[in-house]
């Protein structure tokens, strides 16, 4: 199980229509750089990507090849369940932190930056997609529900 979190900016489309592309890009760069610093504070978090005003984060992506071996024991399974719960809590804590961080910023149109966040935990499929400018992607209902 992996926890996926998405954020998007309230009023982004209207703001981007009333501001120059440079102002929009600069605003997103400043805001998402702050989000990146929050990701860097917790090794359980992984920034997947940004698309427009959306920021996608994953927590609990496995890096061990022998996870299946570990889960065959009762203690291994309990330890893995505790790790999954810890990762979900880290993702929700990140969500709260970015809500607070966004409120410290004004959008280029002068309005306070407000974001929405969606989070869900479940199974995902991950991998690199494409050969020209390949991207690491996550797929599954968990991703769709979080978004």
């Amino acid at each position: 199980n992996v926890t996926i979190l998405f954020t998007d900016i309230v009023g982004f489309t209207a703001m981007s229509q009333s501001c120059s592309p440079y102002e929009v890009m600069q605003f997103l760069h400043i805001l998402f750089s702050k989000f990146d610093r929050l990701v860097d504070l917790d090794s359980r978090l992984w920034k997947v990507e940004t698309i427009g005003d959306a920021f996608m984060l994953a927590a609990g992506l496995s890096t061990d090849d022998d996870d299946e071996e570990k889960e065959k024991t009762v203690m291994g399974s309990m330890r893995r369940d505790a790790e999954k719960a810890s990762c979900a809590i880290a993702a929700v804590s990140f969500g709260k932190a970015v809500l607070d961080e966004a409120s410290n910023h004004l959008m280029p149109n002068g309005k306070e930056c407000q974001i929405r966040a969606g989070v869900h935990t479940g199974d995902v499929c991950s991998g690199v997609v494409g050969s020209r400018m390949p991207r690491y992607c996550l797929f599954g209902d968990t991703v769709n529900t979080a978004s």
Side-chain angles (χ1 to χ4, degrees):
N1 284 331
V2 173
T3 300
I4 303 294
L5 178 133
F6 276 94
T7 68
D8 76 331
I9 300 169
V10 176
F12 179 81
T13 302
M15 179 272 295
S16 64
Q17 291 171 343
S18 67
C19 299
S20 75
Y22 177 80
E23 290 173 312
V24 174
M25 183 199 65
Q26 187 66 16
F27 165 71
L28 289 175
H29 173 70
I30 291 168
L31 182 65
F32 288 164
S33 292
K34 296 286 188 177
F35 289 10
D36 289 343
R37 288 187 196 103
L38 292 170
V39 171
D40 289 343
L41 296 176
D42 194 325
S43 63
R44 297 168 293 182
L45 304 177
W46 178 266
K47 177 183 174 181
V48 178
E49 64 183 334
T50 59
I51 302 173
D53 69 318
F55 188 100
M56 181 181 178
L57 173 125
L61 289 170
S62 179
T63 56
D64 290 336
D65 293 331
D66 60 348
D67 275 349
E68 289 181 26
E69 275 305 310
K70 288 181 184 176
E71 288 192 15
K72 288 183 180 177
T73 68
V74 172
M75 287 304 292
S77 180
M78 289 172 57
R79 184 172 36 252
R80 185 69 181 138
D81 288 348
E83 288 172 13
K84 290 175 190 176
S86 171
C87 290
I89 291 167
V92 170
S93 295
F94 171 83
K96 289 179 179 179
V98 297
L99 288 171
D100 289 342
E101 180 60 44
S103 69
N104 295 325
H105 297 265
L106 290 178
M107 296 193 296
N109 63 0
K111 294 186 179 178
E112 181 182 334
C113 179
Q114 296 178 325
I115 62 169
R116 293 179 285 243
V119 64
H120 192 69
T121 301
D123 294 331
V124 299
C125 177
S126 63
V128 176
V129 176
S131 58
R132 183 161 179 85
M133 295 181 64
R135 300 178 72 129
Y136 179 74
C137 298
L138 299 172
F139 299 96
D141 264 356
T142 299
V143 175
N144 298 336
T145 302
S147 71

